[in-house]
Amino acid sequence: MTLTQVSTTPFPDQKPGTSGLRKKVPVFQQPNYVENFVQAIFDTVEEREGATLVVGGDGRFFNREVIQTVLKMAAASGFSRILVGQRGLLSTPAASCLIRKYKAIGGVVLSASHNPGGPDGDFGIKFNVSHGGPAPETFTDAVFQRTQSITHYRTHRASDIDLDVLGETRLGNATIQVIDSVADYTELMETLVDFDKIAALFVSGFRMRFDALSAVTGPYAKAILEGRLGAPAGTVVNGEPKPDFGGHHPDPNPVHAHDLMDLMLGPDAPDFGAASDGDGDRNMIVAPGLFVTPSDSLAILTAHAHLAPGYAQGLAGVARSMPTSRAADRVAAKLGIRAFETPTGWKFFANLLDAGLVTLCGEESAGTGSNHIREKDGLWAVLLWLNILAELKKPADKIVREHWAAFGRDYYARHDYEEIETTRADALMAHLREILPSLPGQVFGGLTVEACDDFAYTDPVDGSVTPRQGIRILFKEDARAVFRLSGTGTAGATLRVYLERFEPDPRRHDLSRQDALSAVAEAANTLAKIGEFTGRSAPSVIT
Ligand code: G1P
Ligand code: ZN
């Protein structure tokens, strides 16, 4: 085993986005590509000497190889203790939990979240900082700068670490510890939700299905739901993480988790259905016969969280990303707690959580979380739902309907136009920004524009301003359309159009989403000239 410096030259494209660096697998497989980026991260971690680092990934294709590279480079870069999940597996929330619990300087998480895996699929590397959340832009900017001037990386020429066996190995001055991927996370969950109550629910005959979509949550869900809470074997399906996710697109929404949807909407639906994404930070909740939108889920969890021991004191506040429906705001108003609207992406929640301004937060894209870590947490959301179900002793669909009856229903849909040419997408957004001042008072699809803006966020904690976060159009008929471009895609541009309409009248809570939202969809299409700019007659995915 020798410590070596290897000469290298920069790659121009290593600019990390909000969720780290994401590219197709073959891009990462280029010689020195991974090494360059990892060295740029380590060089940016100023206090790495003698510090603890957490390493793990979602098990996708190339995970094991890159884990070995990261471990050897970390040992050569001054970290003294490196915690790595067994088999190289750590869900994003578990990594966040470990960083906080073991006071690590940060963690390297290998994942492209909900994007498909496999030899032609996506791969990603992100860095989470010492509070457990994604690195702030100042950090990722510095990493990018570093990638542009890198000349060497450091590593140990050593045989691979055995990732299958728990235990410690010395590598140079560092100790590499292969840890149980699930144990610390389970311990944390036990402090937040009432395991005994949920176990009693299963004893009473309650049945659920958790679809892990052959991604990283399988081992967590099996250990907690089947192992600790006594759910029958087979409750967790697709529970073994696979390099290509078994062909699944591990994005928990009605389109990609269609098997679960078919079951839950069919005659043999169990009492509750849930799914999680590639790296385990997203969740999908399905009641018998009824998909629960993530926006509604956040609102319902906000209304009932106090029933779980971790939240028995009540909530400080709730935050949602701007495109998430306003359902949670209505609950916050009733509870008399603060509600925040942040730009898309988890990092904006971290400041609010750190400052104690909010306890729960969530996004329309199936991310829900709380102050227990600094990432969204898929399985946590499922467990909190179970705790609430165990306390209320009512069917999940009834809880949702009663929620709508009490607060009104926010019909909601997201239309994604994927892999459109970047120039076309940019032109559409430029067009919208140009016409914004003239929109108020105009009528589209029978709806009248009341107000509109290009969302800018002022962080209530540090006062920083983040402009141009998406176009919001509010209609007088209590409807809203939001337009923004995805920041996480790996091919071309993705236009996201978020549509919502508030319906206070319980007699109108059983419309189809399409009927409820057709006018907003028409208004959005007309005013943004979506067909003309994108060259598409319909969205690629509706969730
Ligand atoms: C998407 C989601 C966003 C989420 C992010 C990371 O980002 O829309 O809510 O935080 O993935 O999981 P986008 O591609 O829209 O920029
Ligand atoms: Zn994810």
Side-chain angles (χ1 to χ4, degrees):
M1 180 198 70
T2 45
L3 182 70
T4 44
Q5 287 232 37
V6 184
S7 302
T8 187
T9 48
F11 291 91
D13 66 338
Q14 296 194 321
K15 188 160 180 53
T18 48
S19 326
L21 184 67
R22 279 199 200 158
K23 304 277 175 195
K24 296 280 173 204
V25 166
V27 176
F28 276 101
Q29 284 171 323
Q30 299 172 81
N32 291 353
Y33 194 89
V34 166
E35 289 83 349
N36 274 22
F37 189 69
V38 170
Q39 190 65 60
I41 292 175
F42 290 165
D43 288 347
T44 308
V45 182
E46 277 163 12
E47 290 154 331
R48 63 185 180 278
E49 211 55 51
T52 299
L53 181 75
V54 170
V55 179
D58 64 10
R60 67 179 59 227
F61 187 86
F62 211 35
N63 189 59
R64 274 187 175 251
E65 290 86 341
V66 177
I67 294 262
Q68 295 290 348
T69 305
V70 173
L71 294 177
K72 291 171 195 172
M73 288 183 63
S77 283
F79 298 98
S80 71
R81 178 166 284 275
I82 303 153
L83 305 176
V84 58
Q86 192 175 20
R87 295 157 69 202
L89 298 178
L90 283 181
S91 72
T92 287
S96 186
C97 156
L98 289 165
I99 294 169
R100 294 167 70 80
K101 181 166 178 178
Y102 295 107
K103 306 208 168 0
I105 191 80
V108 176
V109 182
L110 308 176
S111 172
S113 188
H114 51 286
N115 293 359
D120 301 314
D122 287 355
F123 194 79
I125 303 180
K126 72 172 167 178
F127 189 74
N128 282 24
V129 292
S130 58
H131 66 35
E137 223 157 278
T138 45
F139 185 94
T140 51
D141 284 349
V143 171
F144 177 58
Q145 290 310 322
R146 186 74 196 130
T147 64
Q148 300 306 290
S149 60
I150 191 162
T151 55
H152 289 84
Y153 65 84
R154 289 181 300 282
T155 189
H156 280 290
R157 295 262 177 253
S159 48
D160 281 357
I161 307 292
D162 186 347
L163 295 174
D164 295 323
V165 182
L166 300 180
E168 295 189 357
T169 314
R170 287 293 288 179
L171 192 53
N173 294 326
T175 301
I176 297 182
Q177 189 180 352
V178 179
I179 58 168
D180 183 324
S181 311
V182 177
D184 296 285
Y185 178 82
T186 306
E187 221 173 79
L188 177 59
M189 290 304 111
E190 227 176 332
T191 66
L192 300 172
V193 299
D194 192 330
F195 275 27
D196 292 341
K197 281 252 163 67
I198 302 174
L201 182 68
F202 284 116
V203 168
S204 75
F206 180 93
R207 291 296 170 260
M208 75 173 286
R209 172 171 292 183
F210 184 99
D211 193 338
L213 297 170
S214 309
V216 81
T217 344
Y220 296 86
K222 272 199 219 165
I224 297 177
L225 296 174
E226 296 181 11
R228 290 294 305 280
L229 299 171
T235 294
V236 178
V237 298
N238 298 312
E240 189 49 40
K242 297 198 177 138
D244 64 349
F245 301 129
H248 293 109
H249 184 153
D251 195 356
N253 61 46
V255 177
H256 296 308
H258 43 83
D259 289 347
L260 179 67
M261 280 304 285
D262 290 349
L263 176 77
M264 294 308 296
L265 301 186
D268 302 320
D271 300 299
F272 192 58
S276 191
D277 75 328
D279 63 331
D281 56 357
R282 295 187 176 195
N283 74 88
M284 166 169 154
I285 302 293
V286 203
L290 182 68
F291 167 67
V292 185
T293 68
S295 297
D296 276 348
S297 178
L298 175 65
I300 292 167
L301 292 180
T302 304
H304 300 292
H306 63 275
L307 297 174
Y311 309 93
Q313 309 303 318
L315 308 177
V318 61
R320 62 165 173 87
S321 67
M322 180 272 278
T324 304
S325 96
R326 297 157 295 170
D329 304 15
R330 306 180 204 290
V331 179
K334 178 145 178 213
L335 294 177
I337 59 174
R338 292 183 72 179
F340 296 86
E341 183 178 34
T342 64
T344 295
W346 208 256
K347 67 180 178 196
F348 295 95
F349 295 142
N351 270 1
L352 301 174
L353 292 164
D354 279 345
L357 292 174
V358 302
T359 311
L360 295 194
C361 39
E363 293 191 279
E364 54 67 40
S365 54
T368 330
S370 89
N371 57 355
H372 65 293
I373 52 170
R374 292 297 178 272
E375 287 276 7
K376 51 199 175 220
D377 189 343
L379 189 50
W380 162 86
V382 174
L383 292 170
L384 186 52
W385 260 96
L386 288 172
N387 197 149
I388 290 166
L389 286 162
E391 286 288 347
L392 295 181
K393 298 190 175 64
K394 281 180 198 168
D397 48 323
K398 189 152 191 254
I399 293 176
V400 178
R401 287 179 193 289
E402 287 182 1
H403 186 89
W404 292 337
F407 293 95
R409 177 172 182 185
D410 291 271
Y411 285 100
Y412 192 85
R414 184 175 101 182
H415 291 189
D416 290 336
Y417 298 78
E418 294 174 340
E419 296 191 23
I420 51 181
E421 276 170 46
T422 309
T423 46
R424 284 172 172 256
D426 290 343
L428 182 145
M429 292 305 287
H431 160 72
L432 274 175
R433 292 194 165 101
E434 197 185 306
I435 61 168
L436 264 191
S438 68
L439 288 180
Q442 287 197 56
V443 180
F444 300 93
L447 305 178
T448 308
V449 177
E450 183 173 21
C452 53
D453 68 354
D454 188 351
F455 180 57
Y457 177 66
T458 304
D459 190 299
V461 182
D462 62 23
S464 62
V465 178
T466 310
R468 294 166 72 88
Q469 291 300 302
I471 305 296
R472 298 190 289 190
I473 302 191
L474 210 63
F475 298 96
K476 289 206 169 106
E477 295 75 10
D478 229 336
R480 190 174 79 143
V482 169
F483 301 82
R484 59 178 284 279
L485 299 184
S486 156
T488 62
T490 51
T494 294
L495 168 70
R496 301 203 197 283
V497 184
Y498 309 82
L499 308 168
E500 81 187 83
R501 182 171 199 162
F502 180 61
E503 178 54 72
D505 185 350
R507 286 168 306 180
R508 295 177 54 80
H509 284 172
D510 274 312
L511 304 180
S512 73
R513 278 206 302 172
Q514 201 166 356
D515 286 346
L517 294 170
S518 62
V520 203
E522 196 194 323
N525 286 342
T526 316
L527 70 87
K529 300 190 175 151
I530 295 178
E532 202 172 299
F533 278 106
T534 64
R536 304 276 176 85
S537 55
S540 340
V541 190
I542 299 181
T543 50

